[in-house]
Amino acid sequence: MIAFAVIALLLIIPFAIFDTVRSKDLSTTQKFLWILFILIAPYLGAIVYLFWGPKQKAI
């Protein structure tokens, strides 16, 4: 279980931060607040962002 939690931490959180930074739908302030939330509450912040953050259109 601990290994799964560590792997999730190493994969989901950087992805959420990267996705936040490259999002064109968010202002600089919104990006800052999302990244701050992801860093303060890593699991919750990343999961909330991935489900309710800005949606990207599939090509």
Side-chain angles (χ1 to χ4, degrees), residues 9-36:
L9 181 69
L10 295 175
L11 295 176
I12 294 173
I13 294 170
F15 174 77
I17 291 173
F18 177 74
D19 192 55
T20 302
V21 170
R22 68 177 201 152
S23 176
K24 293 181 182 359
D25 298 332
L26 297 173
S27 69
T28 304
T29 304
Q30 290 172 322
K31 288 179 185 182
F32 173 76
L33 293 174
W34 270 115
I35 291 171
L36 186 64

